[in-house]
Amino acid sequence: MAHNDECSFYDKKRQLNLHSREGKAKFLKHICALSNSNPTNNSYIVVGVEDNDNEIVGDDFFDDSRIQNLVNAFLENPPKIQYENVPFPDLPKDKVIGLVTIKANNKTSYFKKGIHTILNNTIFVRIGSNSVPFEGKVPRNYQNAETVIGIENNSRNSIGYTLDGVIDFMNFRHKDLSSKYKVFKELFVICWAGIPKKVREKTYFSRVDIELINEQVKLFYSAQDDVAIDFDENSFTITEFVPLGLNDKTSYYPLEEVNIRFFENGYYKIERKMLFEPPAFNRKMLFHIYNSNLSLIKKLQNKIILSERELKDLENLPSTLMICYLNGFEDAKQKLIDSKLLLKPFSMTYLSFKEALRVLRKMKYDK
């Protein structure tokens, strides 16, 4: 699909931007239009593809399962949404293609409340490759079903793909890490790799990569967070921890539990549970630290060269501002978001920035 032009059942995006109201509005507009124009077949958005030449460039791993909550919050008669991270051999290991599947929906979707420039009660439909507002009775397109079914059938997996995927994961992509695999119900294969480490009698894995091979779906990727893995004959459980501290990151807080349960009939179910309880700190101490971080941001804005100590503090700025926000400093989150372009030149700090926003986004949609 990525190598073809957009059409009435397919849209492509260079990346998703769900941090701003404008980005959310654009995404929801396409969801609404694709759902209304495809009442009997799935429709798709592929993320990580250049608009002008269809080059597959990939995007960051996006693990926000609560994307359905966003759709439900703004659309009446919302379609069911599935977001999958699909690894490609030629992409860097931290980049994937995002596949948004919009399930067939016989009811007309429309905005039940406005967002950005979109007014409530607005209906969108798909005309060719464009998502456009529409008034009156929505035209229903029943001609895409056969084409989409053909594409889906051609993309189904085989034992060859599965074996190639396992060998590639174990022997090539992660030959420098401790890699393992587990077969469930003689149908599904999960591979995982990471660096094991023991902290306070508990084993965590860092630089974790977990993939459900025969579904070609990447379940988890994080360069910073730490993960505990448990499994039995029927299920595989990933518990994600966030290392948070004001001066170090040796205190681990459980963020989310993902449980994949496999059944005899070839069906599997993924359930997620938010576990995060933010750490509480002394408010006077936080006030001092918060102001110090704002001072760092101001120096970056004024292009003042930072000292070695300030560069070290800058690495902790995203997680520190997140802690401040979780302890009642309401402006801290927006200050962090506004500092994106200032932090981008500092690779480790920018990685921490993306991780902090990921945690905050999970917490927001979990509500």
Side-chain angles (χ1 to χ4, degrees):
M1 288 176 64
H3 287 294
N4 292 277
D5 290 329
E6 296 170 330
C7 62
S8 54
F9 62 83
Y10 160 57
D11 195 88
K12 65 174 181 282
K13 292 278 171 266
R14 173 62 184 82
Q15 60 185 15
L16 281 189
N17 175 18
L18 299 182
H19 300 312
S20 68
R21 288 183 67 80
E22 181 182 4
K24 290 175 183 175
K26 288 181 178 178
F27 176 72
L28 290 166
K29 176 183 74 172
H30 294 309
I31 295 290
C32 181
L34 288 165
S35 177
N36 285 334
S37 300
N38 294 276
T40 58
N41 59 268
N42 293 337
S43 48
Y44 299 93
I45 300 173
V46 175
V47 183
V49 181
E50 289 285 6
D51 279 337
N52 55 348
D53 58 4
N54 291 332
E55 181 185 359
I56 298 176
V57 293
D59 195 13
D60 291 339
F61 180 90
F62 190 83
D63 67 346
D64 201 334
S65 60
R66 293 156 189 82
I67 203 167
Q68 182 73 58
N69 292 5
L70 174 64
V71 174
N72 293 349
F74 286 92
L75 296 185
E76 190 68 38
N77 301 322
K80 291 192 179 298
I81 304 295
Q82 182 178 9
Y83 191 100
E84 297 169 280
N85 295 279
V86 183
F88 270 57
D90 294 334
L91 291 177
K93 72 172 187 176
D94 61 334
K95 297 292 182 183
V96 293
I97 295 297
L99 178 62
V100 183
T101 303
I102 301 110
K103 305 289 187 179
N105 181 17
N106 275 314
K107 296 181 179 180
T108 299
S109 296
Y110 61 91
F111 279 77
K112 61 184 178 183
K113 61 180 179 179
I115 179 173
H116 192 50
T117 60
I118 300 174
L119 302 177
N120 65 316
N121 295 319
T122 303
I123 298 172
F124 285 90
V125 297
R126 196 81 174 167
I127 297 180
S129 61
N130 297 313
S131 299
V132 297
F134 191 86
E135 294 183 4
K137 187 177 180 180
V138 176
R140 311 296 267 172
N141 183 355
Y142 298 96
Q143 299 177 4
N144 286 335
E146 188 174 338
T147 303
V148 173
I149 288 171
I151 291 173
E152 291 172 342
N153 285 338
N154 285 333
S155 71
R156 293 198 187 282
N157 225 318
S158 69
I159 192 169
Y161 284 137
T162 301
L163 289 173
D164 289 344
V166 173
I167 292 170
D168 179 64
F169 188 99
M170 303 281 289
N171 295 345
F172 298 101
R173 276 196 282 147
H174 299 295
K175 59 185 177 182
D176 60 330
L177 300 177
S178 173
S179 301
K180 296 182 180 180
Y181 73 91
K182 170 72 177 173
V183 179
F184 294 90
K185 303 298 181 184
E186 300 184 7
L187 291 171
F188 300 100
V189 183
I190 288 184
C191 287
W192 68 96
I195 300 175
K197 62 177 179 180
K198 207 162 190 178
V199 179
R200 298 176 184 171
E201 303 304 315
K202 187 170 182 66
T203 299
Y204 300 93
F205 292 89
S206 60
R207 285 182 58 195
V208 177
D209 191 3
I210 303 170
E211 192 174 323
L212 182 54
I213 297 292
N214 47 311
E215 293 292 298
Q216 292 180 300
V217 172
K218 189 182 285 283
L219 294 165
F220 188 90
Y221 176 84
S222 176
Q224 286 197 325
D225 294 348
D226 294 273
V227 167
I229 292 172
D230 300 285
F231 57 87
D232 55 28
E233 293 305 308
N234 302 308
S235 64
F236 187 91
T237 302
I238 309 159
T239 307
E240 180 184 356
F241 292 82
V242 184
L244 280 180
L246 292 175
N247 299 314
D248 59 33
K249 293 187 178 180
T250 58
S251 297
Y252 286 75
Y253 297 84
L255 177 63
E256 184 183 43
E257 179 184 278
V258 178
N259 179 262
I260 310 152
R261 183 164 292 276
F262 300 94
F263 302 93
E264 299 288 352
N265 60 358
Y267 172 72
Y268 68 94
K269 185 176 183 181
I270 300 179
E271 294 181 320
R272 290 174 166 85
K273 186 197 309 182
M274 194 70 172
L275 306 174
F276 189 60
E277 292 291 338
F281 292 91
N282 179 277
R283 189 168 179 84
K284 286 185 177 179
M285 179 181 67
L286 280 182
F287 188 77
H288 171 72
I289 294 173
Y290 180 56
N291 285 329
S292 297
N293 278 272
L294 295 186
S295 175
L296 279 178
I297 292 174
K298 193 168 184 179
K299 285 188 176 183
L300 291 177
Q301 289 172 335
N302 295 329
K303 299 182 179 179
I304 298 173
I305 297 175
L306 301 184
S307 67
E308 189 173 328
R309 175 62 190 173
E310 287 172 329
L311 286 172
K312 186 67 177 174
D313 290 339
L314 188 68
E315 287 186 17
N316 295 323
L317 183 143
S319 59
T320 302
L321 286 182
M322 179 173 70
I323 289 173
C324 289
Y325 172 73
L326 296 174
N327 280 267
F329 289 74
E330 295 295 331
D331 293 339
K333 179 180 176 181
Q334 193 57 49
K335 294 287 186 185
L336 177 60
I337 293 172
D338 293 343
S339 67
K340 177 180 179 179
L341 294 179
L342 297 171
L343 301 179
K344 204 165 187 177
F346 304 90
S347 57
M348 290 302 296
T349 304
Y350 189 62
L351 193 59
S352 298
F353 167 84
K354 292 196 290 186
E355 291 292 315
L357 286 189
R358 184 171 69 88
V359 173
L360 292 172
R361 188 173 62 242
K362 275 190 172 186
M363 293 182 66
K364 177 181 177 181
Y365 290 144
D366 189 63
K367 295 177 183 177

